[in-house]
Structures are given as C-alpha cells and as structure tokens.
C-alpha cells in the first residue's frame, strides 16, 4: 500500500468524501479548515511538489485551477472571491508531499505576511 496519505485517499483506502472528481483530479475538504470553504484540489498522479512539474505533467496546474474555479462556483464564493495556494517544499510550508492546491474562501482573506 502507498505510504502517501493523499494516494491512500485517492485509492479509497482512507475513506474521504470527494467534493469534485474527474479523470485527473480529486478534491476533498481539508481536515483542518482555515476558512468556511477550505478544499484541497489534488492530482490523481503522485507528484511530490509543484517544482516537480514539467514534460508530461506540465498541464496539471491548469487542471487543478479549472477544478478549483468550478468548486468555488458550486460553493457560491465565486463572486466574492477566494484564494488559491500551493505550498512547495519545507520552507514553503508544505506538510503533505503530494502536490495539492488549497482553495480558501467564504471570508475576507488577510493580507499575506511578509
Ligand atoms: P500543506 O501544508 O500545503 O502540505 O497542506 C496539507 C493539508 O492537508 C493541511 O492543511 C491539512 C490537510 N490534511 C492532512 N491530513 C489530512 C487528512 O487525512 N485528510 C484531509 N482531508 N486533509 C488532511
């Protein structure tokens, strides 16, 4: 069995409700939400970080963004706006090493800290 937490969620061995899925992408609520809407948008393929993208996987960010925009519309936060975040590596604050995009919304987001 995969050691990767998000691969286990994608494979269904760690039961998690998907708020969106297609051939390439799944999305589920963050276990520790930082906003009223906090969804993780994740490629089915195991790619550790955004820095690993290229070649065959170069289009993944477009797929993640398109899915996040659709989820935001479905959640009714598209007019007010929302924040998309990709943490990369330890210094970027990444804790789960399977690429994912955070969709955060439903409240005013604070300015980014310096
Ligand atoms: P990051 O720090 O960018 O790597 O974000 C990882 C996120 O994953 C973090 O906000 C918490 C979330 N998370 C960790 N474990 C689980 C889990 O088992 N289920 C769900 N739904 N989210 C998880």
């Amino acid at each position: 069995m995969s050691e990767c937490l998000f691969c286990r969620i994608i494979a269904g061995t760690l039961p998690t409700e998907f708020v969106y899925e297609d051939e390439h992408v799944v999305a589920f609520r963050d276990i520790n939400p930082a906003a009223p809407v906090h969804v993780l948008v994740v490629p089915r393929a195991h790619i550790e970080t955004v820095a690993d993208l290229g070649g065959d996987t170069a289009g993944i960010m477009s797929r993640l963004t398109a899915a996040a925009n659709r989820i935001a519309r479905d959640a009714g936060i598209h007019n007010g706006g929302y924040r998309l975040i990709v943490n990369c590596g330890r210094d970027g604050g990444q804790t789960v090493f399977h690429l994912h995009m955070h969709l955060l919304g439903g409240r005013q987001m604070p300015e980014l800290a310096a």
Side-chain angles (χ1 to χ4, degrees), residues 4-37:
C4 170
L5 180 65
F6 287 177
C7 283
R8 282 162 47 209
I9 288 175
I10 291 161
T13 54
L14 200 62
T16 301
E17 184 189 347
F18 292 162
V19 299
Y20 173 84
E21 63 178 312
D22 65 28
E23 190 186 344
H24 301 282
V25 175
V26 305
F28 47 87
R29 290 182 193 85
D30 195 290
I31 203 168
N32 187 21
V37 176

Side-chain angles (χ1 to χ4, degrees), residues 18-99:
F18 292 162
V19 299
Y20 173 84
E21 63 178 312
D22 65 28
E23 190 186 344
H24 301 282
V25 175
V26 305
F28 47 87
R29 290 182 193 85
D30 195 290
I31 203 168
N32 187 21
V37 176
H38 187 172
V39 172
L40 301 173
V41 188
V42 183
R44 288 185 186 272
H46 180 81
I47 299 161
E48 288 201 358
T49 80
V50 71
D52 296 318
L53 293 177
D56 286 353
T57 58
I60 290 279
M61 292 307 293
S62 302
R63 294 187 190 281
L64 297 184
T65 304
N69 288 339
R70 181 165 163 180
I71 296 160
R73 269 200 308 278
D74 291 347
I77 60 170
H78 57 300
N79 285 333
Y82 45 92
R83 179 169 285 173
L84 303 177
I85 296 175
V86 178
N87 295 326
C88 179
R90 188 197 56 216
D91 285 356
Q94 186 173 5
T95 59
V96 176
F97 283 78
H98 181 130
L99 172 63

